[in-house]
Amino acid sequence: MNKVDIACIIDDDPIFVFGTKKIMKLANFCNSFLVFHNGEEALNHLKPIIESNNDSLPDVILLDLNMPVMDGWEFLDEFIKIPCEKEITIYIVTSSIDPIDMDRAKDYDNISNYLIKPISSQKLQELMSASE
Amino acid sequence: MIHGVMDRVFSLIRKNQDIFEFTQVNALDGYLVFNLNDPHALWLNPKLRSVLGYDPQQFENEEHTSKFLDEENLNYLKSLEKGSTRIFLMHKQGYKLRLSGSVKRVTEDGSTYLFLGCNQIEQTPELKQKLLRKIRRYEKIIEGAELGNWQWNIQTGETIFSDNWAEVLGYSLEELEPTSVKTWEVLAHSEDLEKCNLELQRHFEGDTDFYQTEARMKNKSGNWVWVRDKGKVVTWTKDREPEWMTGFHVDVTEEISRLEIKKLFIDQAPSAIAMFDMNMVYIAASNKWLEDYNIQDKEIIGRRHYEVFPNISDEWKDIHKKCMQGEIHSKDEDCYIYADGTEQWISWEVRPWFTSENVIGGILMHTADITAIKFAEREVFKKQQLMETVLESIDVGIVACNENGELTLFNRATKDWHGLPPEQIPHERLSEYYGLYNLEGDRALDLSEIPLLKVLKNGKLENDEIMIKPIDGVKRKVSVNGSRLFNENGNLAGAVVAMHDITKRIEAEKKHRISQETFRGSFENAAIGMAIVKPDGQWLQINNRVSEIVGFSAEELRKKTFRDITHPEDLDLDLKLLNELIDGKRDHYHMDKRYYHKDGHLVYIHLAVSLVRDEQNKPLFFVSQITDISKEKLAEAKLKKTLLELEGLLEASTRVSIIGINPDGIIKVFNRGAENLLGYSKEEMIGIQTPAIIHSKKEMKSRSKEFAALYGEKHEGVDLFKAMATKSNFDTREWLYKPKYGNMFPVQLTITTIKDGGEIMGYLGVATNISKLKNAEKELSNILELTKDQNDRLKNFAHIVSHNLRSHSGNLGMLLDLYLEDHPEQKENQIIEMLYKASGNLKETIDHLNEVTVINTSVSETLVPVNLRKEVVNAKHSVAALIGNAQLELINEVPEDCYVKGIRAYMESILLNFTTNAIKYRAEERDSFVRFSIEEEKNFIRLIIEDNGLGIDLKKHRQKLFGMYKTFHNHKDSRGIGLFITKNQIEAMEGKIEVESTVNKGTKFIITLKKHE
């Protein structure tokens, strides 16, 4: 299993964040977490890191769609504009099963998968084995 | 004042003894007094007045000193203080009287008065003798001159005539005595008296030095003799009135009578002649003279010329003077411009005339007013100038020659046309030189053909047409007119020709001919009948089409009038319209009428007539256009018949409006239903109105636009209905009808053509009121709107449920998982166990809800062909194990090429659901089967799924069969969501599902889906 160094969770739901972090820890998914409560917060933090080509960039981003201030799509639109050498795996993690959203996710090359909440440890393990 | 002087004098005398004595002693013949301070007035006593020839009674008057004393004597007198002296006082008769006198001065109140007392001195006989001698000498002179002397006291009328005076008139003086001024008045000619008196008056007033006149007097033998009188006033009264006058007269009869002849001659002269004496006094003037100088109403004889014409110039006076010295002056024309600006032209002559003694007696003036002539001359000149200008400016070539054929006139136009100035060219070379050709321009003119020479030789020439073809210049066709010229004696003096450029006219004529031919061509071959008819009705020209219509040839028709072939019932109207046309009440008319065909049958025609008039506005001919409308008329008749047949039907429908129109759009049918619906009566509509009256203009316009957009043809008004019906046999759509009263209402209107053997005879519009339908439709659409709204809200709700509930239930499940991982010992806790189960159930419910929501939200139009048989096979494979366990027979009777429009995932899910249901609800006690078969319709495929399972009690459950969470069996696997989702999926594919079932026998589901072609 290829362990991830930094996993980034962008979600406004504290329970989800709590649960996900817990599951990831249990599954030993990653070494550390970066957590943001909306797209803007994430962008403001990630942009300077990317531009300085810092090592503390996350390897995986779990992105919620429905968020206040800046939603997941808006974040994606801004995020992909930033030139980045490191390959970052982005997962959409949402409770939306709207086919429109699912279709839209396919338009982004950077998005590796579309996950429907909640995330179980079983699902996480599937992911880890898929990214191997 | 006067009295004052006299009173003062008397008072002085009374007061002053010295003065009294002085007057008594020294004034035997009277005295005079004057104030030295004011010596211009004096007072004479009555005695002195009498001595000096004045009326002594007038003594109270103060007199002018100058009347009695001249300056010299007065000054002398003034210088005397007192004492005696000699002094001259003036007699009233004008002579000075020498008196001896004494002077005395008296001063009173600051004034000094001088008294002069007078004593008469006897004149010396010597002096008297001297005077007498003088007088006698004068008398002798007068006598010797045979002058008839006369003296006349104007104041008293006393006269003294000499013998000679009487002798001039053939009398002796004695015969006339006693003489007075009356003697003269009696003898003088009454006509001349006035003139004499006038002269006297002028003399008395000092206008003339002498009185001089000529007058007729009757001599002793009773004849009139002319007497010239000349005299002068010699004494004057103190009031400056003439007193004594003396003069003489001589016989001038002979002189006058000769003059009279001249005068007579002059008076009667037809020209303006006047005769003057040496003083420029008129002796005679002809009537013409009076007339010419506008002095008819003035008496000029005896008056000076310069008095009659005060403004006469010195120049003239000089001429008069010279002529009186014997010169003769004359001028042929002379212009006088009067103050008012009018001109007078005269020709004049002034010459002296001579008396019998050959002495110049005066002058004769002879003038002729030539103003009129002058003006006439001027007019002629002007005309001549005008003529010359015209000749030079007009575009008519004018050439003239003299009797020898030599060119005398060659105006500008001619020069321009020939490009050459006039030159005397030998006749033989004229044509060549001036480029004279025949009209065709191919041959130079012979000598005998040259118009000018032709005229000179033969006289008049009219419209000779030639061509002028200059060597370099424009070719011109000209028409030549000419005539000979004669001098005032009637002899041939030459010839003149006028040439008109007719090049353009000839071209125009040519064009006209061409257009006429064109007209004729189009007339002959016109598609409609055309005829030209004389005002009396006779056919003049008929084209082929007319002959075709009426069967008569043009020849045959020309022998007839239009009346002959017109149906008698149509004739009156035709003639009425025709007369209105002739009277100018209309400029054209048209009507439908009937002609008799040569064969005898009637021909229906449409006739349009207009009138052509000549320049005098008289009718020249009618132009008729004749269109054969027999077919239309017959069609109409047929239509009528058809409609009549339909009428019963039409009338029967009282709620359906049926309106028929003819091809012109005029309403021909208007049934009871139409009356009921629209409020108009048949009588108002039939034959009068078009359907336009019952339609909204706005709607017609928008429909017209729609039609134009669709077919690219623009039709308006009734034509639109016709076009709509024609496009596709019938046209049905909603329209608004506009009733006579009230609001417009919607109708469903079908417009159809009424055809007879493929030919359209009319159109029929059938309409029903759809107001109620419309209202219902409206309500429906409102409900739909409402439903949609609610549906939207529902969808939104579902979305919230699916999304938000999911999050929460997901979290719940996740937290429970985590909790149990942290506390594995709690797995046995019953509450935790139930909580775990509840969380699982919530998740499942939400998943089901999501499935439903997904179906509802993805009603896609992108249905794809799905092969039904294959899908059944796939379902069978999916649950092959279950089928095997249940020993269920799956019968697939769906043919291989059966395709429906659908969504594969849904189809899969549906078939799987029915298959599993068939397994779940099979009847264990018998061999189970499920059969898939189809029924094919035109556009649909009916999929029939039939089993022999437990069946459903439809009486109880039909309503709830496809509801959510309805199960009808106490089966352990029944979850009640399957049929609900299935139904939704089928409807999402625009299909429907029906069910038939009998408990314990089996169930049959019929799914209708769209067929894929």
Side-chain angles (χ1 to χ4, degrees):
Chain A
M1 196 176 89
N2 194 2
K3 194 176 174 188
V4 169
D5 186 19
I6 304 169
C8 174
I9 304 172
I10 305 170
D11 200 310
D12 60 324
D13 183 349
I15 300 176
F16 172 79
V17 174
F18 168 79
T20 307
K21 271 165 86 174
K22 189 125 194 171
I23 292 171
M24 282 180 165
K25 273 180 198 160
L26 286 174
N28 202 13
F29 182 76
C30 57
N31 296 329
S32 62
F33 295 101
L34 271 173
V35 177
F36 305 107
H37 295 102
N38 63 56
E40 192 180 68
E41 205 184 300
L43 200 65
N44 286 346
H45 191 266
L46 291 176
K47 204 172 169 185
I49 301 175
I50 296 171
E51 278 165 357
S52 65
N53 209 4
N54 202 304
D55 282 343
S56 57
L57 265 178
D59 304 284
V60 173
I61 295 175
L62 303 183
L63 178 66
D64 186 23
L65 289 179
N66 272 321
M67 281 184 292
V69 189
M70 182 188 264
D71 71 17
W73 297 123
E74 287 169 329
F75 169 81
L76 266 177
D77 287 338
E78 289 302 314
F79 186 75
I80 58 174
K81 280 183 200 163
I82 307 166
C84 180
E85 288 177 8
K86 188 173 175 181
E87 199 175 311
I88 300 173
T89 311
I90 301 173
Y91 295 105
I92 301 272
V93 184
T94 177
S95 48
S96 168
I97 51 160
D98 192 332
I100 295 172
D101 282 339
M102 292 184 186
D103 279 348
R104 190 169 171 186
K106 286 174 193 160
D107 292 343
Y108 294 89
D109 295 336
N110 312 52
I111 297 171
S112 301
N113 211 337
Y114 189 96
L115 308 177
I116 310 275
K117 285 182 185 176
I119 290 193
S120 58
S121 47
Q122 188 193 343
K123 234 186 237 175
L124 208 59
Q125 258 145 37
E126 278 172 24
L127 278 186
M128 287 163 76
S129 55
S131 66
E132 236 168 309
Chain B
M1 180 66 201
I2 294 165
H3 293 283
V5 172
M6 190 187 70
D7 291 346
R8 173 111 2 118
V9 170
F10 286 168
S11 116
L12 280 171
I13 293 167
R14 273 197 302 275
K15 275 191 222 164
N16 210 316
Q17 190 63 32
D18 289 352
I19 298 295
F20 180 71
E21 279 177 12
F22 174 80
T23 56
Q24 295 303 310
V25 178
N26 297 311
L28 295 174
D29 282 322
Y31 63 90
L32 62 83
V33 183
F34 62 85
N35 186 340
L36 277 167
N37 298 337
D38 180 20
H40 301 292
L42 52 70
W43 182 81
L44 304 93
N45 76 339
K47 177 65 180 170
L48 187 58
R49 291 182 73 91
S50 151
V51 168
L52 292 173
Y54 293 89
D55 185 355
Q57 301 303 318
Q58 306 279 320
F59 68 92
E60 285 181 6
N61 293 348
E62 198 179 31
E63 300 281 358
H64 271 285
T65 306
S66 59
K67 264 167 84 175
F68 305 96
L69 281 161
D70 61 17
E71 201 75 6
E72 194 185 336
N73 281 293
L74 179 62
N75 287 337
Y76 170 65
L77 206 56
K78 274 156 73 180
S79 69
L80 296 173
E81 288 291 327
K82 62 172 182 182
S84 303
T85 186
R86 296 276 170 122
I87 194 130
F88 289 95
L89 290 179
M90 238 104 72
H91 189 272
K92 195 183 175 183
Q93 291 295 346
Y95 54 89
K96 286 170 183 169
L97 204 59
R98 194 159 171 260
L99 296 162
S100 67
S102 301
V103 172
K104 187 159 179 76
R105 293 189 177 198
V106 175
T107 302
E108 195 184 74
D109 295 341
S111 294
T112 303
Y113 297 93
L114 188 145
F115 281 76
L116 174 68
C118 298
N119 292 307
Q120 216 169 351
I121 298 167
E122 262 320 302
Q123 279 181 343
T124 59
E126 192 188 351
L127 185 67
K128 203 172 182 179
Q129 278 310 117
K130 247 189 194 167
L131 275 169
L132 277 172
R133 273 205 300 276
K134 207 175 180 178
I135 287 165
R136 220 163 272 136
R137 200 170 67 236
Y138 283 144
E139 280 175 349
K140 276 265 189 339
I141 291 166
I142 289 165
E143 268 175 23
E146 289 184 348
L147 297 171
N149 178 242
W150 50 268
Q151 292 175 52
W152 173 34
N153 188 319
I154 297 126
Q155 302 299 323
T156 61
E158 182 191 346
T159 52
I160 303 161
F161 295 122
S162 70
D163 287 339
N164 257 334
W165 191 90
E167 276 168 17
V168 166
L169 301 171
Y171 294 99
S172 68
L173 192 58
E174 287 76 26
E175 283 176 307
L176 293 173
E177 276 180 339
T179 60
S180 73
V181 75
K182 287 265 182 270
T183 314
W184 174 73
E185 281 175 7
V186 166
L187 293 170
H189 195 294
S190 59
E191 284 179 15
D192 297 336
L193 273 178
E194 199 189 343
K195 185 174 77 176
C196 295
N197 283 332
L198 210 70
E199 278 302 311
L200 275 173
Q201 214 53 51
R202 291 176 65 208
H203 179 59
F204 293 158
E205 283 163 12
D207 291 349
T208 50
D209 291 340
F210 291 95
Y211 157 74
Q212 184 172 349
T213 184
E214 278 151 8
R216 284 161 291 179
M217 297 188 78
K218 203 171 245 173
N219 67 9
K220 197 180 168 181
S221 50
N223 294 324
W224 293 104
V225 291
W226 278 96
V227 172
R228 180 178 297 144
D229 240 327
K230 194 169 183 179
K232 187 178 168 68
V233 173
V234 289
T235 65
W236 301 82
T237 69
K238 62 179 193 280
D239 301 323
R240 296 303 296 161
E241 292 292 332
E243 194 175 34
W244 280 99
M245 185 173 177
T246 184
F248 57 86
H249 72 183
V250 289
D251 184 351
V252 291
T253 309
E254 199 189 340
E255 197 181 313
I256 292 291
S257 61
R258 238 186 307 137
L259 238 154
E260 276 301 296
I261 294 165
K262 281 190 180 133
K263 269 176 71 181
L264 203 67
F265 171 74
I266 286 163
D267 283 346
Q268 308 300 324
S271 55
I273 298 178
M275 184 176 185
F276 303 89
D277 67 11
M278 294 297 278
N279 288 320
M280 285 306 290
V281 170
Y282 275 98
I283 294 167
S286 68
N287 289 331
K288 189 80 173 83
W289 178 280
L290 301 178
E291 214 175 276
D292 278 3
Y293 296 100
N294 201 20
I295 45 173
Q296 288 106 311
D297 51 345
K298 280 192 191 156
E299 183 55 57
I300 56 164
I301 305 301
R303 290 175 64 192
R304 294 194 78 202
H305 184 52
Y306 305 145
E307 191 187 325
V308 175
F309 298 104
N311 296 327
I312 233 150
S313 68
D314 290 341
E315 200 181 335
W316 270 111
K317 286 177 183 170
D318 194 44
I319 290 166
H320 297 154
K321 211 177 274 172
K322 282 178 181 161
C323 291
M324 284 182 200
Q325 287 158 10
E327 292 181 16
I328 297 170
H329 283 258
S330 69
K331 204 158 179 187
D332 286 345
E333 49 187 54
D334 218 346
C335 181
Y336 295 89
I337 297 164
Y338 292 99
D340 63 358
T342 56
E343 285 176 24
Q344 192 176 29
W345 287 83
I346 59 170
S347 135
W348 56 266
E349 186 191 65
V350 183
R351 55 166 69 238
W353 59 270
F354 297 87
T355 64
S356 51
E357 287 86 17
N358 232 359
V359 175
I360 292 171
I363 56 170
L364 276 167
M365 278 171 66
H366 185 180
T367 66
D369 188 339
I370 55 163
T371 309
I373 296 167
K374 204 65 200 168
F375 282 166
E377 261 179 25
R378 206 180 283 171
E379 279 302 302
V380 169
F381 181 69
K382 267 198 222 160
K383 263 183 203 161
Q384 193 181 335
Q385 270 197 326
L386 182 74
M387 292 291 286
E388 279 169 10
T389 314
V390 168
L391 272 180
E392 286 308 301
S393 59
I394 54 169
D395 283 324
V396 174
I398 294 181
V399 184
C401 65
N402 63 10
E403 67 272 28
N404 300 320
E406 289 159 354
L407 294 179
T408 54
L409 178 77
F410 204 80
N411 78 340
R412 183 197 53 80
T414 316
K415 268 176 239 167
D416 289 353
W417 293 355
H418 290 299
L420 290 168
E423 268 177 69
Q424 297 306 338
I425 303 285
H427 291 172
E428 295 73 29
R429 288 195 50 224
L430 269 178
S431 284
E432 180 199 341
Y433 188 79
Y434 285 119
L436 306 176
Y437 282 77
N438 65 349
L439 190 61
E440 286 70 37
D442 51 13
R443 182 178 56 77
L445 295 182
D446 285 348
L447 200 55
S448 63
E449 288 174 325
I450 295 172
L452 187 64
L453 300 178
K454 237 157 102 177
V455 173
L456 188 66
K457 196 177 166 197
N458 306 326
K460 246 177 138 50
L461 181 72
E462 273 173 20
N463 300 322
D464 203 4
E465 291 180 354
I466 64 163
M467 182 186 273
I468 297 174
K469 212 163 87 174
I471 292 154
D472 38 28
V474 183
K475 282 185 207 168
R476 233 173 262 275
K477 292 173 179 171
V478 296
S479 162
V480 191
N481 292 286
S483 55
R484 283 170 163 177
L485 296 173
F486 295 93
N487 65 14
E488 60 273 24
N489 302 322
N491 296 325
L492 184 65
V496 61
V497 291
M499 301 177 285
H500 294 266
D501 188 343
I502 53 165
T503 317
K504 278 184 189 152
R505 196 193 77 202
I506 286 176
E507 273 169 28
E509 272 174 6
K510 205 193 261 172
K511 271 186 197 156
H512 179 64
R513 251 200 313 276
I514 291 165
S515 73
Q516 231 178 3
E517 275 158 20
T518 314
F519 166 76
R520 201 169 296 133
S522 62
F523 178 86
E524 290 298 341
N525 303 310
I528 57 165
M530 286 173 74
I532 295 172
V533 181
K534 284 211 259 182
D536 63 4
Q538 208 188 332
W539 302 92
L540 210 60
Q541 258 182 296
I542 306 108
N543 76 346
N544 302 333
R545 183 75 188 109
V546 176
S547 297
E548 283 168 27
I549 292 170
V550 296
F552 291 103
S553 70
E555 251 67 33
E556 288 169 322
L557 274 176
R558 261 187 220 107
K559 288 171 196 152
K560 295 176 181 298
T561 70
F562 71 85
R563 290 182 198 88
D564 299 333
I565 61 164
T566 297
H567 190 284
E569 282 174 21
D570 295 335
L571 196 56
D572 284 350
L573 178 63
D574 198 357
L575 287 173
K576 179 179 164 272
L577 292 168
L578 201 70
N579 284 329
E580 285 178 8
L581 197 61
I582 292 170
D583 294 346
K585 285 180 192 159
R586 48 170 74 238
D587 51 10
H588 69 279
Y589 72 87
H590 41 81
M591 66 178 290
D592 290 347
K593 64 183 264 186
R594 288 161 290 179
Y595 279 148
Y596 284 110
H597 191 269
K598 194 179 178 184
D599 301 342
H601 70 260
L602 280 173
V603 204
Y604 290 89
I605 61 128
H606 181 77
L607 174 70
V609 184
S610 55
L611 178 60
V612 178
R613 294 171 186 276
D614 65 10
E615 311 89 81
Q616 277 91 44
N617 212 28
K618 277 187 195 148
L620 209 59
F621 49 77
F622 298 108
V623 177
S624 300
Q625 296 186 334
I626 298 159
T627 323
D628 187 352
I629 55 164
S630 298
K631 265 188 196 165
E632 287 86 338
K633 282 283 173 187
L634 288 173
E636 199 174 300
K638 253 188 200 171
L639 173 67
K640 252 187 208 164
K641 203 176 148 213
T642 311
L643 291 176
L644 217 64
E645 287 164 6
L646 277 172
E647 205 150 303
L649 171 71
L650 301 184
E651 285 308 304
S653 46
T654 56
R655 305 307 313 165
V656 177
S657 153
I658 302 176
I659 299 171
I661 60 173
N662 68 3
D664 294 333
I666 304 295
I667 294 176
K668 292 285 177 185
V669 174
F670 197 79
N671 79 335
R672 177 76 57 78
E675 285 182 327
N676 290 341
L677 231 53
L678 290 160
Y680 289 103
S681 71
K682 269 193 185 67
E683 291 71 30
E684 284 176 288
M685 303 300 270
I686 292 177
I688 300 164
Q689 296 291 353
T690 72
I693 192 175
I694 55 162
H695 281 273
S696 141
K697 272 181 196 158
K698 207 170 136 193
E699 192 182 48
M700 297 273 285
K701 232 177 231 176
S702 71
R703 288 286 160 87
S704 168
K705 259 186 209 165
E706 284 167 25
F707 189 86
L710 200 58
Y711 295 103
E713 293 172 25
K714 196 158 170 60
H715 295 284
E716 278 172 349
V718 181
D719 289 344
L720 178 65
F721 300 126
K722 287 157 47 178
M724 281 176 160
T726 316
K727 274 291 164 209
S728 56
N729 280 335
F730 67 90
D731 179 276
T732 302
R733 64 182 79 198
E734 280 172 27
W735 289 86
L736 286 173
Y737 259 12
K738 196 169 72 180
K740 192 173 180 183
Y741 307 106
N743 295 328
M744 291 197 270
F745 56 86
V747 293
Q748 175 89 15
L749 170 63
T750 301
I751 307 168
T752 56
T753 52
I754 305 172
K755 285 186 180 174
D756 180 65
E759 235 174 290
I760 294 171
M761 293 185 301
Y763 303 85
L764 209 60
V766 181
T768 47
N769 187 339
I770 54 166
S771 300
K772 280 180 188 163
L773 203 65
K774 283 310 273 187
N775 285 339
E777 194 176 281
K778 206 170 173 186
E779 229 167 273
L780 194 66
S781 103
N782 284 344
I783 290 165
L784 270 175
E785 194 72 22
L786 196 71
T787 312
K788 188 174 173 281
D789 197 40
Q790 281 177 342
N791 197 37
D792 284 347
R793 270 188 289 170
L794 211 58
K795 252 191 225 172
N796 198 26
F797 172 73
H799 181 73
I800 290 165
V801 167
S802 76
H803 186 268
N804 295 6
L805 281 184
R806 254 188 98 74
S807 307
H808 303 315
S809 107
N811 284 343
L812 207 57
M814 185 173 69
L815 287 172
L816 272 173
D817 278 347
L818 290 174
Y819 183 79
L820 284 179
E821 277 193 44
D822 282 359
H823 308 278
E825 71 281 1
Q826 294 286 336
K827 254 184 189 166
E828 304 307 313
N829 186 313
Q830 203 178 355
I831 296 175
I832 294 294
E833 198 180 336
M834 286 166 75
L835 198 61
Y836 197 78
K837 207 171 177 186
S839 165
N841 284 345
L842 179 64
K843 186 175 169 288
E844 197 180 357
T845 303
I846 292 167
D847 283 343
H848 285 153
L849 262 178
N850 272 337
E851 270 183 74
V852 174
T853 314
V854 167
I855 293 163
N856 279 340
T857 51
S858 66
V859 176
S860 167
E861 284 171 11
T862 54
L863 296 177
V864 295
V866 177
N867 186 302
L868 216 47
R869 185 180 173 82
K870 273 187 189 165
E871 292 304 324
V872 174
V873 172
N874 285 343
K876 188 180 173 184
H877 289 320
S878 296
V879 288
L882 285 177
I883 292 171
N885 289 342
Q887 293 183 319
L888 177 87
E889 188 190 1
L890 192 148
I891 309 159
N892 187 356
E893 291 179 355
V894 178
E896 276 190 10
D897 58 345
C898 176
Y899 286 89
V900 295
K901 281 182 181 172
I903 298 165
R904 276 201 65 188
Y906 289 182
M907 272 324 293
E908 239 179 79
S909 152
I910 293 162
L911 292 173
L912 213 53
N913 194 23
F914 282 118
T915 309
T916 52
N917 275 353
I919 296 168
K920 279 182 210 164
Y921 308 118
R922 68 180 186 280
E924 305 262 1
E925 67 271 17
R926 53 181 174 259
D927 291 341
S928 298
F929 71 90
V930 59
R931 185 190 293 128
F932 294 85
S933 62
I934 62 153
E935 282 176 13
E936 211 168 336
E937 296 260 319
K938 193 180 177 193
N939 297 312
F940 304 97
I941 299 280
R942 255 200 286 271
L943 172 64
I944 299 157
I945 305 165
E946 204 178 359
D947 66 35
N948 60 346
L950 299 172
I952 304 159
D953 185 356
L954 287 177
K955 272 180 194 159
K956 274 187 191 166
H957 304 298
R958 185 182 283 276
Q959 298 297 321
K960 304 172 200 160
L961 186 57
F962 298 104
M964 207 173 175
Y965 292 101
K966 301 289 171 197
T967 54
F968 315 102
H969 308 273
N970 293 315
H971 195 276
K972 59 177 165 64
D973 287 334
S974 85
R975 299 297 305 268
I977 188 79
L979 277 179
F980 178 73
I981 291 174
T982 298
K983 181 173 189 274
N984 274 285
Q985 284 172 333
I986 290 169
E987 284 172 359
M989 295 188 296
E990 295 166 12
K992 65 177 181 181
I993 182 164
E994 290 155 291
V995 63
E996 291 167 17
S997 184
T998 312
V999 176
N1000 235 353
K1001 278 260 169 101
T1003 308
K1004 186 171 166 189
F1005 289 98
I1006 303 147
I1007 302 162
T1008 309
L1009 290 166
K1010 278 189 173 173
K1011 188 177 175 182
H1012 175 75
E1013 304 293 337

